[in-house]
């Protein structure tokens, strides 16, 4: 109690950071030292010589010390202090504490260096609370509390992620008129940055500058790293400018930290700006700089740029590490370039690179996505041969690949072996969810539910994804009752439906033509505090439009427009326009189209096609032609179906000049056609479909079209001209 009281009086330390972790730790810093010491004996000489030898025999010295402390003669204080210092130097912290305990039992007083070494021991064995006890002992033995000593305590707190307590200690130091140094401030700033207390860290930086101490490059870089990881990239960039303004020499680590931050957020253009700034400032990038940029380019799908950086790296004599290779392999696989990824993988092997499990997993995933399941399994076997053990990610990836390839029974077999411990890898919730999803995909709901029950029995807690998958699987087989039962079970298990749950439910109910129930869910969603997303509304709009319930759809559109959070988009308007066309209400369709364009939205190809078809059928050919022009003006290419509608419309009106103009347009655009469109064209050209030449020509085109993917209007036109089947209409 006296020690704690003295400590609080002298440094005003909060009592909660002075607690000891155990009674034995308290004994280590107890009082009771005899300041007397013997002269150096042969024992001392022996211990010193063992430690001082070029090949330090520290363990022999410690063993000799232990024997002497038990039976005598006792070593001198200087020998004890020297031994403890040497043990700490070689990071033998537990042995150092043991030597100190023996030293205390021999009533030998430690010197100031030993007390500092003991603090090293405590902070490196995660006993920062015990380390604080050394302050009291330091004061009791008449030593000053030097800032270097206190810095160790701050370091210990930060090491144990107790940065806030380190900050408190800094403020206590300042209040007690002890001057912190650069190490004090920098350690606290780094500690706060690592636990994401960035505002506090920036505040300490300001205190440091006010104390006429300039943060080092390392301190600035650590702060930047913390800001980048918290998405505060502009703040991090401003620190770079501040460093330059203060005359600090920015190094490759600082630039790379910022580049990594921008690339991780997909802002590779900003990363490249910094990269060029580095080069302009004559700072050579290292392999980590290149790796960050390569990862960034792969992440945003710019594989060509990633490969350029990879080649540039090689030109500058920098060796890519396993992370760089893995990023590039992942990017190639993501872009469907699995063969190139395999070549790069082989290059790694040829160069003797130590492949890790992540690299294998990325390559296995790429093979699975391409449907090359056998290749994926072969690679896993090679992985094992090379001494790398597959982990749960490896097996989950293979299971996903099997399920995607409709081989769910093989996936179940792997899952069973995992559960039986045959692979030495325990299945997790993702393993089960992947197989359950595979079963639902194959409409095997009963098997999926059985697996779900097994999953729970074996202690694998299911999650919301599990229930969402099962509910979706229920709707796939149109089992509404089972879907509603699972939805009820979901809430009973304490899970809260998310927007994806509601979307599955609404989509499923809509497809089963239970739109009223789906609308009810929309209201329930709002009542539960969820704001329906645009996708949720569009699901219902599509259903109402498809099923000719335009009034319902218009009411929903009005509700969306009244909402501040969910305004309709192009998809919303396209669905409604299509619905209005289906019921023949062209006035509504025109009004919606005008409103849509006023809002800056562009109708899609389907909307244009439907409007053109509807106008053509109703004989509103001027409107149909105007819509065709708008379609092309907005960058959409009409297909054969659009032209078919227009040709039939103009044919019904007998406007052969327009027909020929459309045909020339089709020829110039080289429109791909089929037998049905060929028939329409020949009919429009007034060729008799009963004519033997017409039948023969149509038959040959039909047979040719069935053999080929691309069959163009230009080829038909050429053949018609050669067969002299073009009537006089084109001369008119």
């Amino acid at each position: 109690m006296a020690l704690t009281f003295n400590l609080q009086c002298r440094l005003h330390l909060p009592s909660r950071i002075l607690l000891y972790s155990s009674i034995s730790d308290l004994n280590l810093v107890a009082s009771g030292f005899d300041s007397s010491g013997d002269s150096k004996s042969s024992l001392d000489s022996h211990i010193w010589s063992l430690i001082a030898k070029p090949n330090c025999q520290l363990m022999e010295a410690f063993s000799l010390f232990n024997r002497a402390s038990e039976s005598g003669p006792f070593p001198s204080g200087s020998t004890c202090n020297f031994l403890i210092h040497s043990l700490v130097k070689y990071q033998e912290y537990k042995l150092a504490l043991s030597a100190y305990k023996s030293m205390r039992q021999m009533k030998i007083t430690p010197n100031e260096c030993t007390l500092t070494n003991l603090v090293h021991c405590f902070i490196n064995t995660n006993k920062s609370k015990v380390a604080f006890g050394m302050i009291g002992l330091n004061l009791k033995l008449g030593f000053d509390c030097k800032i270097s000593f206190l810095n160790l305590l701050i370091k210990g707190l930060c090491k144990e992620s107790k940065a806030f307590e380190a900050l408190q200690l800094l403020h206590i130091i300042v209040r007690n008129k002890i001057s912190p140094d650069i190490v004090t401030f920098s350690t606290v700033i780094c500690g706060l940055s690592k636990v994401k207390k960035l505002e506090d860290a920036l505040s300490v930086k300001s205190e440091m500058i006010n104390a006429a101490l300039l943060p080092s490059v390392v301190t600035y870089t650590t702060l930047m790293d913390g800001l980048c990881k918290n998405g505060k990239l502009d703040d991090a960039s401003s620190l770079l400018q501040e460093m330059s303004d203060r005359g600090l020499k920015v190094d490759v680590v600082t630039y790379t930290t910022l580049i990594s931050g921008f690339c991780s957020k997909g802002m590779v253009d900003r990363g490249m700006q910094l990269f060029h700034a580095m080069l302009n400032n004559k700072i050579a990038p290292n392999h980590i700089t290149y790796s960050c940029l390569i990862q960034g380019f792969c992440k945003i799908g710019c594989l060509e740029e990633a490969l350029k950086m990879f080649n540039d790296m090689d030109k500058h004599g920098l060796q890519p590490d396993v992370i760089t290779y893995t990023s590039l392999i992942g990017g190639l696989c993501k872009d469907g370039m699995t063969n190139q990824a395999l070549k790069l993988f082989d290059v790694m092997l040829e160069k003797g690179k130590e492949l890790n499990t992540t690299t294998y997993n990325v390559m296995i995933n790429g093979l699975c996505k391409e449907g090359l399941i056998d290749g994926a399994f072969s690679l896993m076997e090679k992985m094992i041969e090379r001494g790398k053990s597959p982990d749960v990610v490896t097996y989950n990836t293979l299971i996903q690949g099997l399920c995607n390839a409709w081989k769910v029974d093989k996936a179940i077999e792997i899952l069973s072996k995992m559960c039986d411990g045959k692979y030495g890898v325990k299945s997790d919730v993702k393993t089960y969810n992947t197989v359950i999803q595979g079963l639902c995909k194959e409409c095997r709901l009963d098997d999926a539910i059985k697996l779900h029950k097994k999953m729970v029995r074996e202690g694998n807690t299911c999650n919301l994804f599990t229930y969402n998958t099962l509910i979706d699987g229920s709707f796939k087989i149109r089992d509404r009752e089972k879907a509603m039962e699972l939805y009820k079970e979901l809430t009973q298990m304490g899970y809260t439906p998310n927007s994806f749950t509601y979307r599955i439910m609404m989509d499923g109910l809509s497809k089963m033509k239970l739109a009223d129930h789906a609308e009810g869910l929309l209201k329930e969603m709002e009542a539960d505090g969820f704001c329906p997303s645009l996708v949720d509304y569009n699901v219902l709009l599509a259903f109402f439009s498809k099923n000719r319930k335009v009034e319902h759809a218009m009411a929903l559109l009005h509700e969306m427009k009244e909402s501040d959070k969910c305004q309709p988009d192009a998809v919303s308007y396209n669905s409604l326009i299509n619905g209005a066309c289906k019921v023949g209400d062209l006035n509504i369709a025109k009004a919606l189209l005008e409103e849509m364009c006023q809002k800056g939205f562009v109708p899609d190809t389907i909307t244009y096609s439907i409007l053109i078809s509807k106008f053509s059928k109703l004989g509103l050919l001027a409107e149909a032609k105007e819509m065709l022009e708008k379609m092309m003006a907005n960058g959409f290419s009409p297909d054969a179906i659009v032209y078919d509608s227009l040709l039939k419309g103009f044919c019904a009106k007998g406007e052969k000049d327009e027909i020929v103009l459309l045909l020339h347009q089709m020829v110039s655009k080289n429109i791909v056609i089929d037998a049905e469109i060929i028939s329409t064209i020949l009919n429009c050209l007034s060729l008799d479909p009963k004519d033997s030449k017409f039948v023969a020509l149509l038959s040959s085109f039909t047979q040719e079209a069935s053999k080929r993917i691309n069959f163009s209007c230009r080829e038909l036109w050429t053949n018609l001209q050669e067969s002299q089947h073009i009537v006089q209409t084109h001369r008119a």
Side-chain angles (χ1 to χ4, degrees):
M1 288 299 292
L3 176 61
T4 304
F5 176 75
N6 182 41
L7 194 55
Q8 288 176 319
C9 287
R10 295 293 295 274
L11 282 178
H12 307 288
L13 290 171
S15 59
R16 66 189 182 87
I17 65 173
L18 299 174
L19 297 175
Y20 297 104
S21 61
S22 69
I23 296 297
S24 61
D25 290 327
L26 180 58
N27 289 335
L28 282 175
V29 292
S31 59
F33 294 94
D34 185 353
S35 59
S36 64
D38 298 324
S39 61
K40 187 184 292 186
S41 65
S42 59
L43 170 66
D44 294 324
S45 299
H46 196 179
I47 291 173
W48 280 71
S49 65
L50 285 169
I51 296 171
K53 282 184 177 181
N55 54 337
C56 176
Q57 294 175 296
L58 191 59
M59 292 301 104
E60 288 81 351
F62 177 73
S63 178
L64 181 59
F65 170 84
N66 261 352
R67 291 197 301 272
S69 64
E70 289 173 3
S71 59
F74 293 159
S76 67
S78 59
T79 300
C80 294
N81 289 323
F82 180 56
L83 176 64
I84 290 172
H85 174 76
S86 302
L87 288 165
V88 171
K89 180 183 175 182
Y90 287 96
Q91 299 179 7
E92 296 289 349
Y93 304 117
K94 290 184 179 179
L95 294 181
L97 290 173
S98 173
Y100 172 67
K101 186 176 180 181
S102 298
M103 185 178 177
R104 182 182 63 81
Q105 289 169 350
M106 291 184 286
K107 301 188 183 300
I108 298 173
T109 304
N111 63 18
E112 193 173 5
C113 179
T114 294
L115 294 180
T116 303
N117 280 317
L118 289 173
V119 173
H120 271 293
C121 290
F122 288 130
I123 66 171
N124 282 291
T125 53
N126 297 322
K127 292 180 180 179
S128 61
K129 289 181 180 178
V130 183
F132 272 93
M134 303 310 295
I135 297 177
L137 185 55
N138 197 57
L139 295 171
K140 182 173 181 178
L141 294 175
F143 303 124
D144 292 330
C145 258
K146 294 179 181 177
I147 194 61
S148 57
F149 183 88
L150 295 168
N151 284 346
L152 283 174
L153 297 174
I154 287 174
K155 180 183 176 182
L157 288 169
C158 292
K159 186 171 180 277
E160 293 181 27
S161 300
K162 296 175 182 175
F164 189 69
E165 292 184 2
L167 178 60
Q168 285 183 309
L169 182 54
L170 170 63
H171 291 153
I172 291 167
I173 289 168
V174 173
R175 284 200 302 270
N176 282 272
K177 310 299 181 185
I178 301 172
S179 298
D181 60 12
I182 291 175
V183 175
T184 319
F185 283 110
S186 297
T187 306
V188 174
I189 290 168
C190 293
L192 290 166
S193 298
K194 284 176 183 176
V195 296
K196 301 182 181 180
K197 298 284 183 183
L198 295 168
E199 288 184 12
D200 290 321
L202 289 168
S203 177
V204 173
K205 178 185 72 78
S206 299
E207 289 177 33
M208 185 178 184
I209 293 168
N210 291 336
L213 295 170
L214 184 62
S216 67
V217 173
V218 174
T219 307
Y220 272 109
T221 303
T222 305
L223 260 175
M224 286 178 190
D225 185 52
L227 289 166
C228 287
K229 284 175 179 172
N230 280 269
K232 298 183 177 181
L233 298 169
D234 290 333
D235 291 340
S237 294
S238 68
L239 287 181
L240 182 67
Q241 185 60 49
E242 186 180 313
M243 287 177 72
S244 298
D245 294 343
R246 293 188 181 278
L248 283 171
K249 189 176 181 181
V250 183
D251 61 12
V252 63
V253 178
T254 310
Y255 271 112
T256 301
T257 298
L258 275 175
I259 289 169
S260 175
F262 281 112
C263 289
S264 66
K265 298 294 180 183
M267 301 167 69
V268 192
D269 54 338
R270 294 283 298 274
M272 284 301 293
Q273 287 173 15
L274 287 163
F275 180 75
H276 291 305
M278 278 180 73
L279 299 178
N280 291 336
N281 290 324
K282 310 297 181 186
I283 299 170
N286 58 24
H287 75 282
I288 299 174
T289 318
Y290 278 103
S291 291
C292 292
L293 288 163
I294 290 167
Q295 281 180 290
F297 280 124
C298 288
K299 188 175 181 179
I300 63 172
C302 296
L303 201 60
E304 188 176 339
E305 286 80 359
L307 288 166
K308 282 180 184 176
M309 292 302 294
F310 185 78
N311 293 330
D312 191 44
M313 188 177 183
D314 185 55
K315 285 177 187 175
H316 286 85
L318 294 170
Q319 289 298 315
D321 60 14
V322 67
I323 297 171
T324 314
Y325 276 110
T326 303
S327 299
L328 201 50
I329 287 168
L332 289 164
C333 289
K334 187 179 176 182
D335 213 43
M337 301 168 72
T338 311
N339 287 335
Q340 290 89 327
L342 278 169
K343 287 177 183 176
L344 192 60
F345 188 85
D346 290 337
V347 167
M348 285 185 75
L349 294 174
E350 287 168 12
K351 290 189 174 183
K353 294 289 179 183
E354 184 65 29
L355 278 70
N356 58 27
T357 304
T358 303
T359 313
Y360 279 104
N361 286 344
V362 167
M363 193 67 250
I364 288 168
N365 184 52
L367 291 166
C368 286
K369 282 187 175 179
E370 289 293 309
L372 303 170
I373 308 299
D374 291 340
F377 274 95
S378 295
L379 187 56
M380 185 182 71
E381 288 171 10
K382 288 179 184 176
M383 175 183 180
I384 295 167
E385 287 171 9
R386 291 181 174 271
K388 296 293 177 185
S389 299
D391 57 12
V392 68
V393 176
T394 316
Y395 287 107
N396 285 349
T397 303
L398 290 167
I399 285 171
Q400 183 73 68
L402 289 166
C403 290
N404 290 342
W406 302 87
K407 296 180 179 180
V408 71
D409 288 321
K410 177 67 175 174
I412 292 170
E413 184 183 325
I414 292 174
L415 173 59
S416 298
K417 287 181 179 178
M418 288 176 77
C419 293
D420 294 341
K422 292 182 179 177
Y423 294 139
V425 176
K426 191 177 180 182
S427 57
D428 60 12
V429 63
K430 187 174 181 180
T431 320
Y432 278 97
N433 282 344
T434 305
V435 179
I436 288 169
Q437 193 175 39
L439 288 165
C440 289
K441 180 183 172 183
E442 294 188 6
C443 297
R444 293 166 59 179
L445 183 64
D446 290 341
D447 290 336
I449 289 171
K450 283 178 186 175
L451 188 58
H452 168 232
K453 289 177 179 175
K454 180 186 176 184
M455 173 185 183
V456 175
R457 275 197 314 270
E458 295 189 358
N460 284 278
T461 307
C462 58
N463 55 22
L464 193 57
F465 182 87
T466 319
Y467 279 104
N468 285 345
T469 303
L470 289 168
I471 291 168
D472 189 44
S474 301
F475 279 119
K476 269 189 173 68
I477 62 169
R478 306 184 73 77
D479 191 338
R480 174 180 166 271
E481 287 184 9
K482 178 55 73 176
M484 297 310 291
E485 181 187 320
L486 286 162
Y487 178 71
K488 186 178 178 181
E489 185 182 319
L490 179 156
T491 56
Q492 288 173 344
M493 292 292 290
Y495 295 108
T496 303
N498 60 11
S499 58
F500 191 60
T501 315
Y502 285 114
R503 193 171 303 156
I504 290 167
M505 296 285 290
M506 285 192 291
D507 185 55
L509 290 167
S510 296
K511 285 176 179 175
M512 292 180 72
K513 299 188 177 180
L514 297 167
D516 291 340
H517 290 76
E519 271 193 285
L521 268 177
L522 194 66
K523 303 300 178 190
E524 183 182 322
M525 190 176 180
E526 291 171 333
D528 284 345
F530 282 99
C531 180
S533 70
L534 191 58
V535 176
D536 300 323
Y537 276 109
N538 283 344
V539 165
L540 280 174
L541 278 175
F543 172 79
F544 288 138
S545 299
K546 185 179 179 181
N547 290 278
R548 300 172 180 268
K549 295 186 177 183
V550 179
E551 288 183 8
H552 284 74
M554 289 298 290
L556 202 59
L557 181 72
H558 180 72
E559 183 181 319
M560 290 173 74
K561 288 193 285 188
E562 291 292 311
S563 168
D564 293 331
K565 297 179 181 178
C566 199
Q567 290 294 307
D569 66 352
V571 176
S572 317
Y573 282 104
N574 283 327
S575 293
L576 270 168
I577 291 168
N578 295 346
C581 287
K582 278 190 176 182
V583 298
D585 198 333
L586 292 182
N587 290 329
I588 288 180
K590 284 180 180 179
L592 286 168
L593 182 64
E594 186 178 347
E595 184 180 317
M596 179 183 187
C597 293
Q598 284 174 352
K599 287 182 178 289
F601 299 129
V602 179
D604 61 15
T605 307
I606 296 171
T607 301
Y608 277 120
S609 299
I610 290 173
L611 283 167
I612 291 167
S613 175
K614 198 67 182 177
F615 285 138
S616 297
K617 282 180 181 177
L618 294 174
L620 302 171
L621 299 173
E623 287 89 340
K625 194 173 178 182
E626 181 187 354
M627 203 57 60
L628 177 68
E629 289 168 358
K630 284 183 179 179
M631 182 179 187
M632 290 189 290
N634 281 317
F636 295 106
S637 298
D639 59 10
I641 297 171
V642 171
Y643 282 110
D644 186 61
S645 301
L646 286 163
L647 286 169
K648 285 175 179 175
F650 284 118
C651 186
K653 292 282 187 177
E655 297 188 23
K656 296 192 176 183
D657 287 349
E658 292 289 348
I659 290 169
V660 173
L661 285 172
L662 284 173
L663 287 172
H664 280 300
Q665 210 175 91
M666 291 174 73
V667 170
S668 67
K669 290 181 179 295
N670 209 21
I671 299 296
V672 176
I673 56 178
D674 59 15
E676 185 179 342
I677 310 299
I678 292 169
S679 178
T680 298
I681 291 169
L682 296 179
N683 281 329
C684 288
L685 293 173
S686 302
L687 295 177
D688 184 1
K690 293 180 182 178
D691 185 278
S692 60
K693 290 182 180 180
F694 172 87
V695 172
L697 184 63
L698 182 60
S699 176
S700 67
F701 273 116
T702 303
Q703 289 173 11
E704 188 68 20
S706 67
K707 294 175 185 176
R708 291 166 55 189
I709 297 172
N710 296 319
F711 195 89
S712 71
C713 186
R714 188 177 296 158
E715 292 174 77
L716 173 63
W717 190 261
T718 303
N719 277 275
L720 286 171
Q721 288 177 320
E722 288 175 357
S723 304
Q724 297 182 344
H725 274 71
I726 299 296
V727 293
Q728 298 299 317
T729 54
H730 70 281
R731 296 177 186 172

